[in-house]
Amino acid sequence: MAETQQTNGIEVLETREWLDSLDYVLSQGGPERAGRLLQQLALHARRAAGVNLPFTATTPYQNTVYSKAQPPFPGSQEMERRIKSLVRWNAMAMVVRANKIQEGIGGHISTFASAATLYEVAFNHFFHASNESGDRDVVYFQGHAAPGIYARAYLEGRIPKEKLENFRRELKPGGGLSSYPHPWLMPEFWEFPTVSMGLGPIQAIYHARFIKYLENRGLKTSTGGKVWAFLGDGEMDEPESLGSITLASRERLDNLIFGVNCNLQRLDGPVRGNGKIIQELEAIFRGAGWNVIKVIWGGDWDPLIQADRDGLLVRRMGEITDGQYQKYFVESGAYFRQNFFGTDPRLLKMVEHLSDEQLARMRLGGHDPIKVHAAFRAAVDHTGSPTIVLAKTIKGYGLGEAGEGKNITHQQKKLNDDELQIFRSRFGIPIPDGELHNAPFYRPADDSAEIKYMQERRKQLGGYMPTRRVRATPLKPVPEALFEEFYKGTEGREASTTMVFVRMLSKLLRDPEVGKFIVPVVPDEARTFGMEALFRQVGIYSSVGQLYPPVHMDTLLYYKEAKHGQILEEGITEAGSMCSFIAAGTAYANHGINTIPFFIYYSMFGLQRIGDLIWLAADMRCRGFLLGGTAGRTTLAGEGLQHQDGHSHVLALPVPNLLAYDPAFAYEIAIIIQDGIKRMYVDGESIFYYLTVGNEPLPMPEMPKQPGIRDGILRGLYRYHTSDKKNTKLRAQLLGSGAIMFEVLKAQAILEKDYGVATDVWSVTSYKELYREANDCARWNMLHPTKTPKVPYVTQTLKGAPGPFIAASDYMKVLPESIAQWVPGKLVSLGTDGFGRSENRASLRDFFEVDAKHIVLATLHALAGEKSSEKDKKDGGEGVTAKMLEKAIRDLGIDPEKRTPATS
Ligand SMILES: Cc1ncc(C[n+]2csc(CCOP(=O)(O)OP(=O)(O)O)c2C)c(N)n1
Ligand SMILES: [Mg+2]
């Protein structure tokens, strides 16, 4: 016992001596010198005696920026506090009023309440709408903090009071404000939809990377802008939040700053009740190579921390779980004293000069403008890696009993009169008691000191934020000559539609006008799509060029990485690739650059896997072309059920401004892409495209010379082939799409030759377009009963075509069925409902019943049900009878007892 004490005694002495020496080095050489010394010591210990220091991914639970190293605050703290209070009040009032007027309309008070200081410091000192080089910062605002952003815009005079009144009532006369950031709904205000959690952070990473891409390729000359992403600590649990963080460090994205509001709570309760979210995130991000800045304690704590020579306080801070910290927020100062400091008399002694009241009000770092400013300054000045600022705050800060730190706070939308009064008094809003009940908005006069101050700050920083603007001027249309070879077809040679597309892409890349704007994006699948020749032609983008001699350098197809490389070869990440697509497809607005992205991927891993990002792209008015490669449930042979896509066109239906095409022929692709570039980049429409392309080699025909074919291709339907057969009573119309068009053409030949059915063939390039237009007509007709009814394009086009309509595609039957009510006749749909199989194309098409023989059978069966056929039979004519059908089944070699593909 005595010996241990003695050992301890020596240890204490020894420790003290080392600490004194270190203090001396610190005072003489500063923190950097001390840091180097410590590194040398660690190295020496390891080399000399194999001392292995225990791995720690975290630093102690204290602020990263040492209080003595804080820069002076560059503004008037008092003025900024008053402005912040006004923003707080109006943000709260907006939600409370909206819910008083319309029960259940929703909104969030507590998210912004906890983040107000983070935003206000940034708005007054960091967010550049324009910097000296003409560059700008882009900011991803946390979706649920929207009321705070609106409240500030109201004070700036950018949003009138009437609109504030209509928060979440967008359909009110005069318009309202959308719940969350939606560029679709507020195209001059919001830039980035962020409310689907996790999509903000991943977008921000790829956006920051795309900015470097633009700069390295010489397309963007202004520099120095930062990408800020303000995020929730609960949000960091989304896989998309963390999934791409190593890209940011690998690419040394020092133009990227994450600000995580660590209020320790999410919707239901604590983010990490039994742990510490700040430490966990620090470990993750440090491990990934980010610069981590923690802002945990406010200035009130500085004297205590400085007096904590033995590290007792810091150790105690590190012991407490987040669940317990949250309890301190709602409990009294006495509880805090007893529970936190009461474990050690020395800790108690540290705070004996503070009253319970004072203890309860000790501010956290995220609520202290000086600490937040210091952290942001350090983040902005940091070079060589991305930065994450982890700021500790209290959820519902300022709401007091109405929610501060409580688990219900996220959902709090109403404050009673007492709570309003307390809030008003705490933040010093000059609204008299008598008027409080309705939580009125409050804005001081334009010439008040507060408004003048905030206007001046924004002027200094280049203007208001957020502001969305189309900054690019329209492109010229791509010359017709570029596409002409595709109108000619392949003269009997076989080519897949993927090959056709890649050839078109390669030509576009060479075009002197538009070439430099083309951004091919591919998630490690270029070889699958036969795109490897592009590696050499335009290079793969790499921010460092190519630091190694690539294999096969002597060949034409070597893996060429270059600083000015044009291809974004993203590796295996469809989500990341989609974010690059979005960054490129919105640069026309964000950076005034008309980049045209072409993102090609396995169609199965698109709308199904990253559908939420595609929805976001739509909201963001993103432009560009999504290419669902190796498409079609029966066209992609061998790959089986996790690869074979037969439903992406169904999943494309919900996205309002996404045009979806399933082209069969080279010339169709040419017409669609040419027109797409025009509509998006010349006419400036807020649309984007989805095209499926297959890998089955097929002879691409010449474009039929018929008037209106272009229009037909774009609108979704045109007649491809008219039967030569005259004088026959049996007539049918076949509708084909994508690779199944070639089965349709085979069926047409069989029907004519073996069954005497005169058969026309139609190419349906887009069921979605047909459905949308027909629906529009039907709606208009319902609303205008006295006017001449509009006839949908599909009805007009198919009018008078005799016989039943048989539609066959590589997609689900529901796709053609979506237009059935507008088809002037009986429609039978053949499609690929069900799980795919590993098989060859012929077997797959037999299994899914979309091959020529099933198309023939479906046609004969439909003819048998036709009125004319019934009549023929009565007349003893040549109508199709059940017996004939039975024979056809036999002759065609169809097994009537085979399993149903839809459910097997
Ligand atoms: C993908 C997704 N899932 C769920 C939600 C619903 N939701 C909205 S806010 C919220 C909690 C947010 O917590 P946190 O990220 O910590 O933000 P805080 O409000 O605490 O700042 C949840 C679950 C959402 N918006 N997006
Ligand atoms: Mg939170």
Side-chain angles (χ1 to χ4, degrees):
M1 187 73 174
E3 208 174 84
T4 318
Q5 265 174 6
Q6 196 192 15
T7 319
N8 273 346
I10 291 170
E11 229 185 273
V12 168
L13 207 69
E14 210 172 52
T15 307
R16 164 86 26 236
E17 274 176 16
W18 277 75
L19 288 178
D20 285 345
S21 305
L22 189 67
D23 281 350
Y24 177 78
V25 176
L26 267 168
S27 67
Q28 298 298 306
E32 276 181 24
R33 165 72 194 116
R36 283 199 302 277
L37 181 66
L38 288 171
Q39 268 179 342
Q40 276 167 333
L41 273 177
L43 210 68
H44 180 79
R46 184 177 303 225
R47 254 203 321 250
V51 175
N52 269 322
L53 293 181
F55 171 75
T56 54
T58 55
T59 62
Y61 200 60
Q62 59 186 35
N63 296 346
T64 306
V65 180
Y66 185 48
S67 60
K68 293 204 172 133
Q70 276 163 205
F73 193 76
S76 160
Q77 264 184 272
E78 173 51 23
M79 190 56 72
E80 292 188 21
R81 191 190 60 78
R82 277 168 33 206
I83 295 165
K84 182 168 61 187
S85 297
L86 294 172
V87 180
R88 281 183 187 287
W89 173 266
N90 288 306
M92 177 279 293
M94 192 182 321
V95 179
V96 170
R97 287 177 70 85
N99 285 275
K100 267 187 203 283
I101 296 164
Q102 177 67 60
E103 178 78 30
I105 201 79
H108 299 83
I109 302 174
S110 60
T111 298
F112 178 74
S114 65
T117 301
L118 306 179
Y119 282 119
E120 279 304 303
V121 168
F123 272 119
N124 284 321
H125 303 286
F126 293 97
F127 289 164
H128 285 88
S130 170
N131 67 15
E132 301 82 48
S133 77
D135 204 8
R136 61 187 289 254
D137 292 349
V138 291
V139 183
Y140 289 75
F141 293 97
Q142 192 188 357
H144 296 81
I149 312 306
Y150 290 139
R152 177 166 243 274
Y154 164 62
L155 291 171
E156 290 168 342
R158 299 203 289 147
I159 293 183
K161 197 192 240 172
E162 300 72 58
K163 288 237 173 177
L164 226 55
E165 200 75 82
N166 292 340
F167 172 56
R168 290 188 168 229
R169 301 295 306 280
E170 297 182 86
L171 301 179
K172 279 242 180 165
L177 299 176
S178 48
S179 49
Y180 303 117
H182 294 304
W184 185 261
L185 301 169
M186 294 177 66
E188 280 152 27
F189 194 82
W190 293 117
E191 298 180 293
F192 309 109
T194 46
V195 83
S196 178
M197 307 201 135
L199 303 192
I202 190 167
Q203 274 187 90
I205 291 173
Y206 280 88
H207 191 162
R209 197 287 213 92
F210 188 71
I211 288 172
K212 300 254 181 187
Y213 167 93
L214 290 173
E215 290 171 1
N216 277 322
R217 288 198 47 223
L219 291 174
K220 177 170 175 286
T221 46
S222 59
T223 55
K226 301 276 181 193
V227 176
W228 296 80
F230 281 76
L231 313 166
D233 48 357
E235 179 174 16
M236 300 312 286
D237 280 340
E238 287 287 359
E240 289 91 340
S241 301
L242 297 176
S244 296
I245 61 174
T246 51
L247 173 90
S249 42
R250 194 161 61 245
E251 292 289 311
R252 302 169 149 265
L253 299 180
D254 49 14
N255 58 343
L256 176 65
I257 299 169
F258 274 11
V260 184
N261 176 19
C262 297
N263 55 25
L264 315 187
Q265 289 178 246
R266 43 180 164 73
L267 193 152
D268 284 339
V271 178
R272 291 289 183 275
N274 294 315
K276 274 210 281 299
I277 188 63
I278 292 181
Q279 298 300 87
E280 185 177 323
L281 290 174
E282 177 185 38
I284 293 168
F285 280 84
R286 280 185 88 204
W290 285 52
N291 174 40
V292 180
I293 300 175
K294 297 194 287 191
V295 199
I296 303 177
W297 309 107
D300 300 337
W301 289 86
D302 284 346
L304 299 184
I305 292 166
Q306 272 153 27
D308 178 35
R309 182 122 179 97
D310 300 323
L312 279 178
L313 179 61
V314 168
R315 194 177 320 139
R316 181 70 184 138
M317 286 166 164
E319 282 166 7
I320 307 288
T321 61
D322 279 357
Q324 180 70 62
Y325 273 119
Q326 188 192 340
K327 196 157 171 66
Y328 296 147
F329 304 156
V330 295
E331 289 287 345
S332 66
Y335 176 88
F336 186 26
R337 186 188 305 276
Q338 192 192 359
N339 190 285
F340 182 89
F341 297 94
T343 50
D344 189 317
R346 288 171 295 177
L347 285 171
L348 276 174
K349 197 160 170 46
M350 278 184 190
V351 290
E352 66 184 2
H353 62 290
L354 298 171
S355 68
D356 287 349
E357 173 99 322
Q358 283 171 314
L359 263 190
R361 272 197 280 126
M362 299 272 286
R363 250 194 314 190
L364 293 178
H367 296 302
D368 183 337
I370 297 183
K371 299 288 181 198
V372 171
H373 172 266
F376 286 172
R377 184 80 261 155
V380 166
D381 292 345
H382 178 78
T383 54
S385 57
T387 292
I388 181 168
V389 176
L390 300 168
K392 184 162 170 166
T393 64
I394 298 175
K395 190 146 179 169
Y397 187 73
L399 291 183
E401 285 300 305
E404 196 167 273
K406 294 185 175 174
N407 279 338
I408 52 92
T409 194
H410 188 85
Q411 308 285 65
Q412 180 63 289
K413 302 169 200 324
K414 290 183 181 168
L415 263 59
N416 64 31
D417 290 358
D418 288 347
E419 289 161 348
L420 282 171
Q421 200 169 33
I422 293 168
F423 194 98
R424 184 272 326 258
S425 303
R426 176 162 177 181
F427 295 110
I429 312 297
I431 297 173
D433 284 356
E435 290 172 26
L436 270 179
H437 177 73
N438 285 326
F441 296 121
Y442 178 76
R443 182 178 187 268
D446 281 342
D447 60 356
S448 64
E450 291 88 347
I451 300 294
K452 272 161 64 186
Y453 184 96
M454 68 193 297
Q455 299 287 26
E456 180 55 26
R457 290 310 312 147
R458 287 315 312 163
K459 207 167 135 201
Q460 290 298 321
L461 293 162
Y464 297 122
M465 289 173 82
T467 304
R468 184 183 177 280
R469 240 186 19 245
V470 173
R471 295 170 168 86
T473 47
L475 284 179
K476 287 204 220 91
V478 181
E480 176 76 2
L482 192 142
F483 298 99
E484 263 161 11
E485 76 167 81
F486 303 101
Y487 305 157
K488 296 200 183 87
T490 49
E491 291 165 347
R493 276 175 295 113
E494 291 188 334
S496 69
T497 46
T498 304
M499 281 166 70
V500 169
F501 161 70
V502 172
R503 167 129 187 97
M504 213 173 296
L505 182 65
S506 156
K507 287 189 85 172
L508 281 165
L509 283 160
R510 285 200 184 93
D511 183 78
E513 282 284 326
V514 89
K516 62 177 180 294
F517 294 122
I518 306 291
V519 181
V521 184
V522 63
D524 197 32
E525 216 73 65
R527 291 179 202 280
T528 312
F529 304 128
M531 284 169 68
E532 60 268 44
L534 294 184
F535 289 169
R536 179 59 205 286
Q537 184 188 329
V538 292
I540 295 163
Y541 171 72
S542 154
S543 56
V544 294
Q546 192 152 37
L547 305 176
Y548 60 95
V551 291
H552 312 309
M553 194 146 169
D554 48 338
T555 70
L556 279 176
L557 299 179
Y558 80 94
Y559 198 83
K560 178 181 160 196
E561 299 195 60
K563 210 165 169 168
H564 57 268
Q566 200 160 344
I567 299 171
L568 285 171
E569 158 66 85
E570 298 294 11
I572 310 167
T573 166
E574 281 75 13
S577 304
M578 188 62 203
C579 289
S580 281
F581 176 84
I582 293 167
T586 53
Y588 73 92
N590 296 327
H591 304 289
I593 302 165
N594 279 313
T595 36
I596 308 172
F598 287 84
F599 169 25
I600 185 160
Y601 55 88
Y602 259 113
S603 69
M604 194 65 158
F605 307 133
L607 278 142
Q608 169 165 291
R609 187 175 180 128
I610 49 160
D612 204 17
L613 278 166
I614 294 176
W615 183 254
L616 173 148
D619 185 352
M620 236 165 121
R621 298 166 178 270
C622 180
R623 298 173 181 167
F625 296 91
L626 298 170
L627 281 302
T630 55
R633 185 108 66 208
T634 68
T635 305
L636 175 57
E639 290 290 321
L641 81 80
Q642 218 158 47
H643 283 74
Q644 290 161 341
D645 161 43
H647 49 276
S648 63
H649 278 288
V650 178
L651 300 178
L653 289 174
V655 187
N657 51 347
L658 177 66
L659 280 77
Y661 289 93
D662 185 17
F665 306 129
Y667 64 81
E668 294 178 350
I669 301 177
I671 300 275
I672 294 163
I673 289 185
Q674 185 187 17
D675 189 65
I677 294 178
K678 180 180 170 294
R679 286 183 66 179
M680 293 186 286
Y681 291 91
V682 183
D683 305 339
E685 285 191 58
S686 288
I687 51 173
F688 63 132
Y689 284 74
Y690 176 53
L691 271 73
T692 37
V693 284
N695 65 352
E696 182 175 5
L698 293 160
M700 293 287 132
E702 188 180 0
M703 180 157 76
K705 293 196 176 40
Q706 53 175 275
I709 188 165
R710 237 166 230 273
D711 191 48
I713 292 169
L714 297 171
R715 297 181 80 173
L717 170 75
Y718 66 95
R719 193 198 298 258
Y720 175 71
H721 174 85
T722 311
S723 175
D724 307 327
K725 238 181 162 42
K726 306 275 177 299
N727 306 327
T728 167
K729 285 190 177 149
L730 293 178
R731 301 199 72 105
Q733 309 297 320
L734 301 188
L735 276 54
S737 309
I740 297 303
M741 173 56 106
F742 290 82
E743 295 295 327
V744 165
L745 291 171
K746 276 188 242 165
Q748 179 242 357
I750 300 170
L751 280 165
E752 298 219 335
K753 187 164 141 288
D754 299 348
Y755 297 93
V757 183
T759 313
D760 295 347
V761 176
W762 303 77
S763 176
V764 182
T765 50
S766 177
Y767 282 102
K768 185 176 179 185
E769 279 304 287
L770 296 177
Y771 171 77
R772 189 190 51 70
E773 194 267 350
N775 223 359
D776 271 1
C777 291
R779 177 184 167 275
W780 191 92
N781 293 344
M782 182 179 79
L783 295 171
H784 303 88
T786 60
K787 302 265 164 65
T788 317
K790 292 187 178 180
V791 183
Y793 171 75
V794 53
T795 316
Q796 269 175 49
T797 312
L798 296 178
K799 204 172 107 204
F805 296 85
I806 317 303
S809 82
D810 226 355
Y811 285 84
M812 292 178 73
K813 294 179 183 181
V814 73
L815 200 64
E817 275 160 11
S818 68
I819 58 159
Q821 61 171 305
W822 298 292
V823 171
K826 179 188 173 72
L827 178 86
V828 175
S829 177
L830 301 181
T832 58
D833 300 35
F835 285 125
R837 292 290 192 283
S838 320
E839 255 301 350
N840 64 23
R841 290 189 186 106
S843 305
L844 286 167
R845 286 173 186 165
D846 172 51
F847 178 71
F848 282 104
E849 300 158 15
V850 291
D851 55 3
K853 62 180 183 289
H854 283 93
I855 299 171
V856 169
L857 177 61
T859 309
L860 295 175
H861 188 261
L863 281 167
E866 290 263 294
K867 277 210 184 74
S868 58
S869 192
E870 295 294 327
K871 192 169 162 292
D872 283 344
K873 278 178 262 170
K874 259 198 225 125
D875 297 347
E878 63 208 74
V880 179
T881 61
K883 274 257 164 307
M884 286 165 72
L885 287 176
E886 199 181 32
K887 180 170 181 320
I889 290 175
R890 238 184 357 257
D891 292 349
L892 291 164
I894 291 172
D895 169 12
E897 307 312 325
K898 76 188 264 292
R899 287 177 297 170
T900 163
T903 49
S904 60

